[in-house]
Amino acid sequence: MATYIFGIGGTGARVLRSLTMLLASGVEGTSTNNEIIPVIIDYDGDNGDTKLTQDILENYQRINRMCYGTRTHDEHFFCSPVTKLREKVGPERVANFHAGTRFNIFLEDMDETTTFSSHIGYHQLNDASQTSPTRHLLDSLYNTSDSEVSKNGVIKDNPDAELHMKLYHGFRGCPSLGCVVTRQLTHSNELAQIETVINANDRIIIVGSIFGGTGASGIPTLVDHFKNGPAAATFQNCPIGVLAVMPYFKVADDIESPINSKSFIAKAKAALDTYDDTVRQYVNALYLVGDANTAVAFDNNEGGDAQRNEAHIVELVGAMMLIDFMNKPTAAIGHGEVFEFGMRRNPIPPEVIGYNDFFKEETCIPYIDPMARFMLFKTFCQKYFIPGRSQANDIWLLRTDLAQKKDLKNELTKFFKTFEKWIIELEGKKRPLKLFNVNESDYLKLYDYMNLEATNFFNSDAFKEDDIRKALSDANGDVTKGQREMTNQHKFEDKPEELFMVNSNIAMREIFEKKITPFINKN
């Protein structure tokens, strides 16, 4: 099964960033048989969040391809394959793609001079008498202020411009412009190629914010294309979901910016009213997530490389919703169903959200516990595997080529840094979520924020590095008895990276379930 995930705008990219972290953790439902095709759509080609997400996806992709061959593995670290759309359609059709694309769909060239009016050919509408009714209609629908204004002798973008707004940083919170421009998506070469490779058992889910411009306009455009476009018959039996992200942050007031947090709620309500007629009736599932607790504001960056917002719990919850849709049995997928995320308790900032604020069965076990195991794996690799201490101690690892290879260690080092940064950002002041002590090298202190029964946990000999090494050796099988057919080393001797990842997954599960789970506070 393949899942096509369309991440629209900056919010869509940030949700994909959180999704990549969950995939790396081997959350429930991940599998080497569940292929994921992320497709990022953003008119702001220089968007910092989009660039960061694409870098992380490529890092993840390299690790996955190093570690997994043709065998099936379920809920292992990095096990779900991530594929670029151009790779999915194959070399015979990739000639129709624009050069240089990564995980994104190419959109028409926009430079610093491109405006909404130039995009729609506004200046070509007048006749000799200057009486074009279409031009007069546009003048009545949009603010016709110039695209630039002079501020103290400095030329700046005009925050009031609509008809002549510059588009190189997206639609800056104006879905009325976005819905016109995003129509070009339906004519893109890249989108057309999906029709040639998608199967009835594949799935599509579209994610974006509905309180801005790009996401609010892009979601209904894509839904309409898949359900009512020329190739609608191709997608007839393909389940389609939408993740609509409602307001979950605010930005600092800036009179020189067209983006104003005070309008977010009104825009979201308007979008939801519209979606009830234009989206919900066509999709199988509509997921809604947002956060009214937005006391601390983000910097007001209209776009470009400066837009690198810190990770937020809403984006993590959105990623969980994507996985929920991917994991739903076909028989359980309805039509037009609406889903929200539930918590046992919703602390008000600056109070910290912790492990016990989530429901155990619905959230902790399928999503947070795998991240806790990944934390153990990350710390072990950074202390033991990556520095090379393992080579002299573990016979099963020494006898493979993996001990001499640097590529996997380099890629893991890079990914662990991005994971650490993501966790630290989630702990930030805006909406603090604290689950782990990411910078701790002491294994016992990694889990301070999981509401452990601390007295029993820290007074016990919970586990040490030798316990992890022993679990790795046990996962591999006893190589001393000459029963090679009983060892993982024998099973995966053709791919030592796979051997390491399989053994690590088994070992971290054993350590977590035996040494950590008994001390988690169940209250």
Side-chain angles (χ1 to χ4, degrees), residues 18 83 86 99 116 118 163 185 218 269 280 299 322 327 329 428 445 450 461 499:
S18 289
T83 307
R86 62 190 296 117
F116 179 64
S118 65
L163 183 60
L185 276 174
K269 288 181 177 178
R280 186 180 174 189
D299 293 336
L322 297 182
N327 288 343
K445 294 181 180 179
M450 291 187 68
D461 186 17
L499 168 69

Side-chain angles (χ1 to χ4, degrees), residues 239-519:
I240 295 181
V242 164
L243 169 57
V245 182
M246 297 183 292
Y248 67 100
F249 63 83
K250 66 179 181 180
V251 295
D253 292 336
D254 185 348
I255 60 174
E256 296 184 356
S257 172
I259 302 174
N260 189 331
S261 302
K262 295 181 178 66
S263 66
F264 286 176
I265 296 295
K267 289 178 178 178
K269 288 181 177 178
L272 287 175
D273 287 341
T274 303
Y275 284 15
D276 202 39
D277 295 326
T278 61
V279 172
R280 186 180 174 189
Q281 65 174 314
Y282 294 118
V283 300
N284 299 92
L286 174 61
Y287 290 86
L288 300 172
V289 63
D291 186 14
N293 297 303
T294 55
V296 181
F298 285 98
D299 293 336
N300 193 330
N301 295 310
E302 296 178 23
D305 191 60
Q307 186 171 329
R308 289 179 179 263
N309 294 334
E310 291 184 351
H312 194 286
I313 184 176
V314 163
E315 296 153 8
L316 172 58
V317 169
M320 294 176 186
M321 289 174 158
L322 297 182
I323 292 174
D324 180 81
F325 181 72
M326 287 188 283
N327 288 343
K328 281 188 181 300
T330 302
I333 294 179
H335 181 81
E337 293 184 285
V338 179
F339 299 91
E340 294 179 313
F341 181 79
M343 296 179 67
R344 293 180 58 189
R345 193 177 71 98
N346 187 12
I348 305 299
E351 189 179 359
V352 175
I353 299 174
Y355 186 84
N356 273 18
D357 292 324
F358 300 101
F359 289 108
K360 178 183 176 183
E361 298 294 331
E362 293 84 352
T363 305
C364 292
I365 290 177
Y367 301 111
I368 298 179
D369 288 357
M371 285 194 289
R373 294 193 293 267
F374 188 78
M375 277 291 302
L376 181 60
F377 172 66
K378 177 193 79 72
T379 306
F380 174 76
C381 285
Q382 289 172 324
K383 291 180 64 176
Y384 186 74
F385 171 62
I386 291 173
R389 291 169 54 200
S390 54
Q391 298 177 21
N393 296 309
D394 293 305
I395 299 300
W396 62 270
L397 186 57
L398 185 63
R399 288 178 179 175
T400 68
D401 293 333
L402 183 60
Q404 308 303 322
K405 293 183 177 181
K406 303 296 182 183
D407 290 348
L408 179 59
K409 294 181 180 181
N410 291 338
E411 294 295 342
L412 285 174
T413 298
K414 184 176 181 180
F415 193 91
F416 292 151
K417 289 180 179 179
T418 62
F419 182 81
E420 290 170 1
K421 185 175 186 295
W422 177 72
I423 291 290
I424 291 170
E425 288 178 9
L426 287 173
E427 296 176 0
K429 296 179 180 179
K430 295 179 176 65
R431 196 62 164 106
L433 166 66
K434 291 193 175 182
L435 299 174
F436 321 113
N437 281 335
V438 68
N439 287 324
E440 279 288 350
S441 60
D442 186 330
Y443 292 108
L444 294 180
K445 294 181 180 179
L446 291 175
Y447 303 103
D448 269 0
Y449 295 108
M450 291 187 68
N451 286 35
L452 298 172
E453 295 175 349
T455 302
N456 293 332
F457 182 73
F458 289 106
N459 287 343
S460 69
D461 186 17
F463 64 98
K464 300 178 181 178
E465 192 168 278
D466 285 346
D467 293 314
I468 301 175
R469 288 188 53 246
K470 181 179 184 303
L472 274 167
S473 296
D474 290 344
N476 187 61
D478 190 344
V479 298
T480 65
K481 297 180 179 179
Q483 298 175 324
R484 286 177 51 83
E485 67 278 8
M486 301 299 292
T487 68
N488 274 338
Q489 182 177 328
H490 174 65
K491 296 176 185 176
F492 304 112
E493 61 186 0
D494 60 322
K495 197 167 183 61
E497 297 91 344
E498 187 174 11
L499 168 69
F500 177 70
M501 204 60 73
V502 168
N503 284 354
S504 296
N505 181 72
I506 296 171
M508 303 310 154
R509 281 180 180 271
E510 177 183 332
I511 292 293
F512 186 77
E513 291 170 6
K514 292 183 178 179
K515 304 290 187 177
I516 301 172
T517 300
F519 297 102

Side-chain angles (χ1 to χ4, degrees), residues 144-161:
T144 59
S145 299
D146 292 337
S147 63
E148 297 178 334
V149 293
S150 177
K151 295 282 188 179
N152 299 321
V154 179
I155 302 299
K156 296 184 177 182
D157 289 348
N158 186 353
D160 297 322

Side-chain angles (χ1 to χ4, degrees), residues 4 6 191-200 202-204 222-240 282 284:
Y4 295 79
F6 291 85
L191 200 60
Q193 301 308 313
I194 296 177
E195 303 161 12
T196 66
V197 294
I198 199 162
N199 297 312
D202 293 340
R203 299 182 182 185
I204 293 173
L222 286 175
V223 170
D224 183 64
H225 172 75
F226 292 131
K227 288 301 184 181
N228 300 314
T234 304
F235 304 100
Q236 183 176 1
N237 297 317
C238 181
I240 295 181
Y282 294 118
N284 299 92

Side-chain angles (χ1 to χ4, degrees), residues 1-7 12-13 15-40 53 56-58 60-62 64-65 73 75-89 102-104 194 197-198 201-207 318-327 367:
M1 183 185 81
T3 302
Y4 295 79
I5 304 176
F6 291 85
V15 172
L16 282 172
R17 178 190 179 194
S18 289
L19 175 67
T20 309
M21 303 306 170
L22 293 181
L23 296 178
S25 302
V27 297
E28 288 190 8
T30 53
S31 172
T32 51
N33 290 329
N34 293 343
E35 183 183 27
I36 296 170
I37 300 94
V39 183
I40 297 175
T53 297
I56 293 171
L57 282 168
E58 290 184 338
Y60 174 98
Q61 185 185 58
R62 290 191 293 270
N64 168 268
R65 292 181 176 180
H73 298 286
E75 298 167 10
H76 281 37
F77 303 132
F78 299 99
C79 72
S80 287
V82 169
T83 307
K84 295 176 182 175
L85 182 58
R86 62 190 296 117
E87 297 169 332
K88 181 67 175 177
V89 302
R102 298 169 74 188
F103 283 96
N104 60 307
I194 296 177
V197 294
I198 199 162
N201 62 337
D202 293 340
R203 299 182 182 185
I204 293 173
I205 188 162
I206 306 162
V207 52
M320 294 176 186
M321 289 174 158
L322 297 182
I323 292 174
D324 180 81
F325 181 72
M326 287 188 283
N327 288 343
Y367 301 111

